């Protein structure tokens, strides 16, 4: 057994001993994590001293729309090689798994993309990010809150409209974003919950009361909080306040500093430290240079990591998921919770309720992340590989 000592675990609990609890990690002959146990205060246990660096699983991104020029809703069979390259790039960027996000589009392309993603999922191999079930962001969205989603492909919620899109692919979908206040949405929410698919409130005009009703009906997440939904107001708290008040609804956050101001991101994590889940919301230009790119038939302008349509509509980002964790840690001064928001909390959204020690047991060390908070801010690397920021 080889030991790592003086390790901190990146947890999101409200009470986490100030993040000062130290652990030791036992590795077996195959370099798999076999023991995760707390160290008594002041212990000088033998082993490689990590100096208080944090250990976490790799990232899980519940909202990513594409990369390397690929937009997931436009996927065809000819895109499988490039999709494989994207999954390798994501693994190098510290992401273990993604829910490939399909924004609102026509039924035919949606079903074709789901079929291509299913084929790519079957072809998974080491060194690539895993494809989880897809995230359907739409088409049951409030038209006035649609953001960059094409209006012509929005649909009114109904069981028939849902089944037209997902029949045969129920096991290939993990998450659906919709506006729960729309007429017919309650039927769709019930059908999705019955199939084990997570439902998220997004692109919605829901009031606080409507949000509470949606959470009671089975909605368990907010999609990119504060964006495409009512803000928190002293007389109209809205869905973000409703979610934070409940305590059991995940709150998706894009931590680029543009979608949500840093001060608001800090307040949100202080208000709901166990609920904030970081997402990248990265678009097709992820991994490419800045400038002008195509998104379906529209022009997408990328500058400083942000993506906008020609009319200025904010559409997404090109920043990696873990860059969001670095920025959130810088704003909050709480690295452990920022790390957990990108690595642990997303797993809970999808139903994995294991503790962090339980998540780590059996994991190859090279598939974890080591985080160090120093003069350059929070940086990460895969143990045994070159340092990465």
């Amino acid at each position: 057994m080889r030991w790592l000592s003086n390790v901190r675990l990146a947890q999101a609990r409200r009470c986490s001993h100030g993040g000062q609890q130290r652990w030791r990690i036992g590795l077996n002959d195959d370099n798999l994590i076999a023991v995760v146990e707390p160290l008594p205060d002041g212990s000088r246990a033998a082993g490689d001293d990590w100096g208080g660096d944090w250990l976490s699983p790799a990232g899980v991104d519940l909202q990513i729309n594409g990369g390397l020029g690929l937009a997931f809703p436009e996927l065809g069979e000819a895109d499988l090689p490039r999709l494989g390259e994207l999954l390798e790039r994501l693994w190098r960027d510290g992401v273990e798994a993604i829910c490939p996000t399909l924004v609102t589009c026509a039924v035919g392309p949606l079903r074709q993309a789901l079929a291509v993603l299913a084929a790519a999922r079957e072809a998974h191999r080491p060194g690539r990010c895993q494809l989880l079930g897809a995230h359907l962001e739409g088409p049951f969205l409030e038209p006035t809150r649609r953001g960059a989603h094409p209006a012509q492909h929005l649909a009114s919620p109904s069981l028939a409209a849902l089944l037209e899109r997902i029949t045969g692919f129920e096991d290939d979908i993990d998450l659906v974003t919709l506006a729960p206040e729309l007429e017919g949405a309650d039927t769709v929410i019930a059908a999705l919950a019955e199939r084990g698919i997570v439902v998220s409130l997004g692109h919605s005009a829901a009031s606080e009361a409507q949000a509470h009703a949606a959470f009671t009906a089975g909605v368990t997440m907010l999609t990119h909080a504060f964006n495409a939904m009512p803000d928190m107001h002293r007389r109209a708290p809205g869905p973000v306040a409703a979610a934070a008040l409940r305590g059991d609804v995940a709150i998706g956050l894009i931590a680029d500093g543009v979608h949500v101001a840093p001060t608001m991101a800090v307040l949100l994590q202080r208000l709901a430290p166990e609920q904030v889940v970081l997402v990248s919301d990265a678009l097709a230009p992820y991994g490419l240079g800045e400038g002008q790119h195509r998104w379906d038939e529209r022009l997408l302008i990328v500058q400083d990591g942000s993506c906008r349509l020609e009319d200025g509509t904010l559409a997404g980002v090109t920043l990696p998921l873990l860059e969001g964790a670095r920025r959130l840690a810088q704003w909050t001064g709480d690295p452990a919770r920022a790390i957990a928001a990108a690595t642990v909390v997303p797993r809970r959204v999808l139903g994995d309720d294991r503790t962090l020690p339980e998540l780590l047991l059996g994991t190859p060390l090279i598939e974890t992340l080591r985080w160090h908070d120093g003069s350059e801010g929070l940086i990460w690397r895969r143990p045994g590989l070159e340092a990465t920021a």
Side-chain angles (χ1 to χ4, degrees):
M1 187 80 71
R2 180 165 74 91
W3 292 94
L4 310 176
S5 187
N6 200 11
V7 177
R8 285 190 279 188
L9 299 186
Q11 305 189 71
R13 296 198 303 266
R14 287 183 182 272
C15 298
S16 56
H17 306 289
Q20 299 307 310
Q21 173 68 58
R22 305 302 167 106
W23 301 71
R24 71 170 185 164
I25 311 297
L27 305 173
N28 66 17
D29 292 341
D30 295 320
N31 223 28
L32 303 180
I33 296 175
V35 178
V36 180
E37 59 185 22
L39 288 173
D41 290 343
S43 171
R44 299 292 182 183
D48 298 338
D49 187 347
W50 269 32
D53 284 355
W54 287 272
L55 176 67
S56 80
V60 175
D61 197 346
L62 302 182
Q63 187 174 5
I64 175 172
N65 306 279
L68 297 184
L70 291 178
F72 291 141
E74 301 175 13
L75 287 175
E77 288 187 14
D79 295 316
L80 281 169
R82 177 61 67 87
L83 179 56
E85 293 175 16
L86 173 59
L87 297 177
E88 291 168 5
R89 169 62 184 262
L90 285 162
W91 193 89
R92 293 196 301 272
D93 284 345
V95 178
E96 176 183 312
I98 63 170
C99 286
T101 302
L102 306 176
V103 298
T104 303
C105 63
V107 175
L110 173 68
R111 293 182 61 82
Q112 175 177 280
L114 288 171
V116 173
L117 290 168
R121 195 176 297 113
E122 291 296 321
H124 176 73
R125 62 174 185 252
R128 286 184 175 179
C129 173
Q130 298 177 29
L131 284 168
L132 304 174
H135 173 180
L136 306 191
E137 190 182 354
F140 310 126
L141 310 179
E142 164 55 48
T144 64
R145 299 281 183 167
R146 64 183 175 84
H149 288 246
Q152 67 270 28
H153 297 309
L154 297 180
S156 298
S158 71
L159 184 58
L162 176 66
L163 295 181
E164 181 184 18
R165 288 161 172 81
I166 74 168
T167 296
F169 293 106
E170 292 90 344
D171 293 338
D172 298 303
I173 299 168
D174 277 349
L175 179 62
V176 171
T177 291
L178 52 72
E181 75 278 10
L182 297 178
E183 184 177 355
D186 52 348
T187 299
V188 172
I189 293 168
L192 291 169
E194 182 181 340
R195 290 162 174 78
I197 297 172
V198 175
V199 187
S200 185
L201 182 156
H203 292 275
S204 164
S207 65
E208 178 193 15
Q210 289 170 322
H212 277 303
F215 302 148
T216 300
V219 173
T220 58
M221 182 175 169
L222 296 186
T223 294
H224 45 50
F226 296 114
N227 289 271
M229 66 181 62
D231 279 324
M232 285 196 292
H233 185 277
R234 65 189 181 280
R235 297 192 185 98
V240 178
L245 187 63
R246 279 187 60 104
D248 60 352
V249 175
I251 302 175
L253 175 67
I254 305 170
D256 62 343
V258 177
H259 281 78
V260 177
T263 295
M264 291 301 294
V266 172
L267 289 174
L268 185 61
Q269 187 158 72
R270 289 182 181 175
L271 186 64
E274 298 179 19
Q275 296 166 250
V276 171
V277 53
L278 289 177
V279 297
S280 72
D281 199 25
L283 297 180
Y286 172 85
L288 304 178
E290 299 200 336
Q292 297 184 353
H293 299 270
R294 186 187 65 83
W295 188 26
D296 50 55
E297 303 303 322
R298 296 170 291 177
L299 184 66
L300 195 62
I301 301 169
V302 180
Q303 184 176 5
D304 297 330
S306 293
C307 303
R308 295 181 183 270
L309 301 180
E310 285 185 278
D311 64 4
T313 300
L314 190 59
V317 304
T318 59
L319 300 175
L321 175 69
L322 299 188
E323 174 61 21
R326 295 184 68 229
R327 294 186 183 196
L328 185 59
Q330 179 184 2
W331 302 333
T332 63
D334 192 339
R337 285 179 176 147
I339 296 165
T343 61
V344 178
V345 183
R347 289 170 162 84
R348 294 180 185 159
V349 173
L350 298 180
D352 191 339
D353 292 326
R354 288 177 293 170
T355 65
L356 182 49
E358 290 169 342
L359 281 171
L360 292 170
L361 286 172
T363 303
L365 184 64
I366 200 172
E367 294 182 7
T368 66
L369 302 177
R370 176 177 179 173
W371 302 77
H372 175 75
D373 191 26
S375 60
E376 299 179 5
L378 188 64
I379 61 174
W380 64 271
R381 67 181 176 92
R382 291 186 183 274
L385 299 182
E386 293 296 324
T388 308

